[in-house]
Amino acid sequence: MLPNFARVVPKFGPSRMLFRTLCTPSSTQELQLTYLTEGDKQGIAVLGLNRAKARNSFSKSLVNQMLDSIDVLAHDKNVRVVILRSLVPGIFCAGADLKERATMSPQDVGRFVSKLRQMMSSIEQLPAPVIAAIDGPALGGGLEMALACDMRVVAGNVKLGLVETKLGIIPGAGGTQRLPRILNPAIAKELIFTARQITGEEAKELGIVNYAVKPNEDGDAAYKKALKLAMEIVPNGPVGVRMAKKAIDKGLQADLATGCAIEEACYAQIIPTKDRLEGLKAFAEKRKPKFIGE
């Protein structure tokens, strides 16, 4: 069963109408962006892929909707964690829409793949942590999208794979760059060259995912685990979490000395915040801090 989502309009002006459009639940929408509002789940946003007839494959329309949704999330300080999941039972994302791709000219394909790569980078660059909840196969671009997330939770029996070489192409949305940063490059090359599909359990053993969970009857075991993980993050200082993400991501692209300088710059942005003072005060008073993201 899929959870009941509540529609919430964020507290900022320019994107209010856009958010209303994206968030109103509809079985015909290819993407649903919603906020959870119940108790400890406040601050968690859910991006739900909902392109059932095409196994959530990437069409031009879906990519545009994703970019619009990501832009909304990037400008909303109330979002503390994002969960990316499928609302279609039995699939996470099958990658590119090959039927639509076959109708494109070579120039159109190049432009589309460039936009797809932009979408993946936008997911990766979201200020708040992003968790991929993978309850069905994630193949080709579907796995590349999951690799762009900060953390991944998968049902143990689902299949994952960068299968593009079987089609005579290569992963074109960042997979050749992100997978070797997670794995031993030789193992990453083996998986890409062979187009091999592995199970969620194998992905956990390799370190591609954070958790591989036992599937449940409702088909949402990975989502439920991702939700628990998100709820562990939500109570923590949102500015601190965002700065920690920035320090890690930027630091990975640099040598150790430069990485430490990046960490210092990120820490400096936290020092004048109300949240830092609230954390110190709450510790002294032996209570839970009430962070406001400022």
Side-chain angles (χ1 to χ4, degrees), residues 5 19 51 66 117 122 127 167 176 191 193 279:
F5 290 125
F19 192 88
R51 196 167 184 248
M66 282 286 292
R117 196 176 298 116
S122 296
L167 300 172
T176 63
L191 293 176
F193 296 168

Side-chain angles (χ1 to χ4, degrees), residues 22-243:
L22 292 171
C23 280
T24 306
S26 167
S27 60
T28 61
Q29 285 183 316
E30 294 185 344
L31 183 72
Q32 292 184 20
L33 167 58
T34 58
Y35 280 171
L36 303 184
T37 60
E38 178 186 348
D40 294 340
K41 297 174 185 175
Q42 286 193 356
I44 300 174
V46 179
L47 272 173
L49 302 169
N50 192 39
R51 196 167 184 248
K53 292 183 179 179
R55 293 171 59 80
N56 290 336
S57 59
F58 294 122
S59 62
K60 292 180 181 178
S61 174
L62 179 57
V63 170
N64 286 333
Q65 288 183 44
M66 282 286 292
L67 285 167
D68 286 342
S69 300
I70 292 165
D71 184 62
V72 170
L73 291 168
H75 291 88
D76 187 357
K77 72 174 185 178
N78 296 313
V79 173
R80 298 194 179 189
V81 186
V82 177
I83 298 176
L84 175 60
R85 66 169 306 197
S86 169
L87 302 179
V88 180
I91 185 68
F92 177 71
C93 178
D97 185 334
L98 297 181
K99 290 183 179 180
E100 184 181 76
R101 182 73 60 87
T103 67
M104 297 181 187
S105 68
Q107 293 78 12
D108 287 339
V109 171
R111 284 191 288 268
F112 177 76
V113 173
S114 178
K115 198 165 191 178
L116 194 60
R117 196 176 298 116
Q118 176 191 347
M119 185 193 81
M120 304 301 184
S121 295
S122 296
I123 293 171
E124 189 172 53
Q125 293 166 12
L126 272 171
V130 185
I131 306 171
I134 308 168
D135 278 301
L139 304 173
L143 179 54
E144 291 184 272
M145 179 170 60
L147 293 173
C149 298
D150 297 291
M151 292 159 280
R152 288 158 290 280
V153 181
V154 64
N157 64 339
V158 305
K159 293 291 187 177
L160 312 175
L162 296 178
V163 297
E164 286 87 347
T165 56
K166 280 189 175 181
L167 300 172
I169 56 176
I170 68 170
T176 63
Q177 301 304 304
R178 292 188 177 93
L179 191 61
R181 293 167 192 259
I182 296 171
L183 295 178
N184 179 317
I187 302 299
K189 288 178 180 178
E190 178 181 343
L191 293 176
I192 293 171
F193 296 168
T194 63
R196 184 181 303 147
Q197 296 183 32
I198 60 175
T199 66
E201 291 288 354
E202 292 172 318
K204 175 64 173 68
E205 292 176 6
L206 289 171
I208 298 174
V209 302
N210 297 69
Y211 298 95
V213 297
K214 184 177 179 180
N216 61 13
E217 292 184 0
D218 292 334
D220 63 353
Y223 172 70
K224 286 183 175 177
K225 178 63 179 178
L227 190 55
K228 288 183 180 178
L229 182 57
M231 291 169 67
E232 286 187 62
I233 298 170
V234 165
N236 298 329
V239 180
V241 170
R242 291 180 180 212
M243 286 298 104

